[in-house]
């Protein structure tokens, strides 16, 4: 039986956690949650006797110590990460350490914040004839990014980009996007705390990212979306629902 459950908390709103994730929370003996990012309302699903730890105040060794001691006592542990932890969740290092200790675990996916950001704008990232690819990346800060994954190199593809963890670097980001090939007038958006009660979304351009964030007091906890899909125009309709298009399930009408 798995004793450690890595659970994606969803993009923000407490009711966007998966049914499986909620069940894990309800049955948990111990919850270690990313307190700087996870909606605390999710802790209301926990039982009265559940121990709760805020990993924002802990280092990796302390998190693993709680996991190991709890697992050795046969307790069920939920490691609650924001969004879906496969994106910037730092779960691999935790899983490797658990493998070394012989502690079983599983992973319950969640709704990523990049999905929540799309919902804030009623946006489709992959519009026919506009963009069929989504690049998820971030700017280099205290944690570096491989040189081969520079903003400029990705911008050259002219695909849809969703940029995490870069709200404090928007002036530099704009310059690097333009250097890579986007025009300053390319549609862009800033989504602050997607799906939270205090969500805010602003449509702008690549050239006005920093100005828009400063004007609206956005300094962190936001995603940046770049690309013509933000304008929601100039796209081709899907063949899937074209009345003249034949599929496995219906014949096209002539």
């Amino acid at each position: 039986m798995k004793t450690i459950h890595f659970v994606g908390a969803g993009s923000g709103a407490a009711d966007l956690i998966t049914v499986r994730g909620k069940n894990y929370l309800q049955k948990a003996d111990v919850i270690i949650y990313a307190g700087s990012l996870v909606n605390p309302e999710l802790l209301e699903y926990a039982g009265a006797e559940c121990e709760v730890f805020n990993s924002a105040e802990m280092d990796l060794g302390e998190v693993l110590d709680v996991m190991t001691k709890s697992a050795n006592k046969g307790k069920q542990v939920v490691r609650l990460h924001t969004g879906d932890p496969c994106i910037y969740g730092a779960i691999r290092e935790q899983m490797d350490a658990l493998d070394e200790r012989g502690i079983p675990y599983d992973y319950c996916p969640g709704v990523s914040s990049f999905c929540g950001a799309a919902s804030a704008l009623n946006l489709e990232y992959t519009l026919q004839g506009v963009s069929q690819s989504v690049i998820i990346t971030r700017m280099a800060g205290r944690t570096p990014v491989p040189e081969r994954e520079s903003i400029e190199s990705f911008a050259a593809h002219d695909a849809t980009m969703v940029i995490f963890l870069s709200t404090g670097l928007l002036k530099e980001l704009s310059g690097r996007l333009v250097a890579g090939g986007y025009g300053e007038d390319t549609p862009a958006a800033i989504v602050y705390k997607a799906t939270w009660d205090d969500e805010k979304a602003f449509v702008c351009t690549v050239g006005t990212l920093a100005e828009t964030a400063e004007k609206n007091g956005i300094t962190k906890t936001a995603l940046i979306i770049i690309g013509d899909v933000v304008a929601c125009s100039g796209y081709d309709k899907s063949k899937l629902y074209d009345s003249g298009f034949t599929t496995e399930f219906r014949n096209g009408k002539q």
Side-chain angles (χ1 to χ4, degrees):
M1 182 178 182
K2 304 296 191 296
T3 57
I4 310 290
H5 306 291
F6 289 89
V7 175
S11 53
D15 60 352
L16 283 177
I17 193 168
T18 64
V19 173
R20 181 182 297 179
K22 180 181 177 182
N23 287 339
Y24 280 147
L25 287 176
Q26 291 172 328
K27 297 175 182 177
D29 300 304
V30 176
I31 294 173
I32 309 169
Y33 79 109
S36 60
L37 296 168
V38 169
N39 189 337
E41 291 179 16
L42 286 163
L43 300 178
E44 296 176 10
Y45 295 136
E49 302 300 318
C50 182
E51 293 182 87
V52 177
F53 296 84
N54 182 356
S55 65
E57 303 165 351
M58 305 162 73
D59 60 27
L60 177 61
E62 292 169 329
V63 169
L64 291 170
D65 186 56
V66 171
M67 286 182 173
T68 301
K69 289 180 178 178
S70 299
N72 288 340
K73 293 177 181 177
K75 294 183 177 181
Q76 294 293 304
V77 180
V78 168
R79 179 66 171 107
L80 189 62
H81 282 268
T82 185
D84 188 307
C86 72
I87 300 176
Y88 306 120
I91 57 172
R92 185 68 265 162
E93 60 199 52
Q94 298 173 72
M95 291 177 174
D96 286 345
L98 293 174
D99 286 337
E100 292 171 2
R101 291 163 169 78
I103 298 173
Y105 58 85
D106 58 20
Y107 169 14
C108 175
V111 178
S112 173
S113 56
F114 87 89
C115 300
S119 74
L121 296 162
N122 292 325
L123 188 68
E124 182 178 348
Y125 286 132
T126 53
L127 287 177
Q128 188 99 350
V130 178
S131 177
Q132 289 292 291
S133 302
V134 182
I135 297 170
I136 296 173
T137 190
R138 66 173 180 81
M139 288 278 283
R142 289 193 296 174
T143 302
V145 170
E147 289 185 15
R148 65 182 181 277
E149 297 182 6
S150 69
I151 292 293
E152 292 90 336
S153 67
F154 286 144
H157 294 284
D158 200 27
T160 305
M161 289 182 71
V162 181
I163 303 170
F164 282 65
L165 305 170
S166 303
T167 314
L169 301 165
L170 293 183
K171 187 173 182 180
E172 179 185 354
L173 174 62
S174 290
R176 295 180 66 178
L177 288 167
V178 171
Y182 285 113
E184 289 197 359
D185 59 350
T186 300
I190 301 171
V191 181
Y192 170 78
K193 296 185 74 172
T195 76
W196 291 65
D197 288 341
D198 52 349
E199 169 191 280
K200 297 177 183 178
F202 307 97
V203 174
C204 57
T205 64
V206 164
T208 59
L209 280 168
E211 175 188 342
T212 301
E214 183 177 1
K215 178 181 177 182
N216 293 284
I218 306 300
T219 60
K220 60 180 181 178
T221 324
L223 287 183
I224 313 304
I225 303 170
I226 308 295
D228 289 330
V229 296
V230 174
C232 301
S233 62
Y235 64 91
D236 301 324
K237 292 183 178 179
S238 170
K239 291 293 185 183
L240 181 61
Y241 301 110
D242 188 323
S243 62
F245 191 69
T246 297
T247 72
E248 178 185 355
F249 302 100
R250 73 166 195 275
N251 291 320
K253 299 175 183 178
Q254 299 302 318

